[in-house]
Amino acid sequence: MTSELHPKLLVSDADAAIDFYAKTLGATPTIRVADDHGVVNHAELTLGSAVLALAQSVEEWGWHDPASLGGSPVLVTANVSDPDATADRMVQLGGELVIPVEDRPYGKRQGRVRDPFGHLWVISGDLHEGAAHPS
């Protein structure tokens, strides 16, 4: 039996989100499906072996993005090789730093960023002994 889990983020602007995740996380867009009005109702991006799906929020369908709900109740964790650089890129391209990237006592280097679409990302990487990290 094969099982997979593909989270689908609902966003206010799907094309802007595709561009943001490609530039900040190195995600590769693989599928983009839009209706006759240009509303992206399904897109997929790959990030390593993970698939991240997204779609435009459509109120009539009950598809609500975080801003329409007053924020996101979900944390999405991205394990990356350089969490400092990734979080910096996310902020430079419109994200908001919520918790600075720092060494954590449980053996990770992590921080949190709210992307321009309201989703909360835990940007995480392994601690590397002897590596110099910005403070």
Side-chain angles (χ1 to χ4, degrees), residues 11-119:
V11 297
S12 57
D13 184 336
D15 287 323
I18 291 167
D19 187 54
F20 179 81
Y21 299 136
K23 288 179 178 174
T24 60
L25 298 173
T28 302
T30 56
I31 298 173
R32 181 188 177 278
V33 180
D35 66 16
D36 294 340
H37 305 287
V39 174
V40 176
N41 51 42
H42 185 75
E44 291 183 5
L45 300 96
T46 58
L47 180 59
S49 63
V51 174
L52 173 66
L54 62 87
Q56 188 90 15
S57 57
V58 180
E59 188 173 345
E60 306 83 68
W61 298 352
W63 288 12
H64 301 283
D65 61 88
S68 69
L69 298 172
S72 177
V74 176
L75 294 174
V76 181
T77 300
N79 291 308
V80 296
S81 60
D82 189 341
D84 296 277
T86 300
D88 287 347
R89 249 189 334 273
M90 291 178 91
V91 170
Q92 289 169 358
L93 293 173
E96 175 191 351
L97 187 64
V98 177
I99 297 174
V101 175
E102 298 176 342
D103 293 348
R104 304 295 173 192
Y106 43 84
K108 295 286 183 183
R109 183 157 180 82
Q110 290 183 335
R112 190 174 310 154
V113 175
R114 181 178 294 109
D115 71 23
F117 315 98
H119 293 284

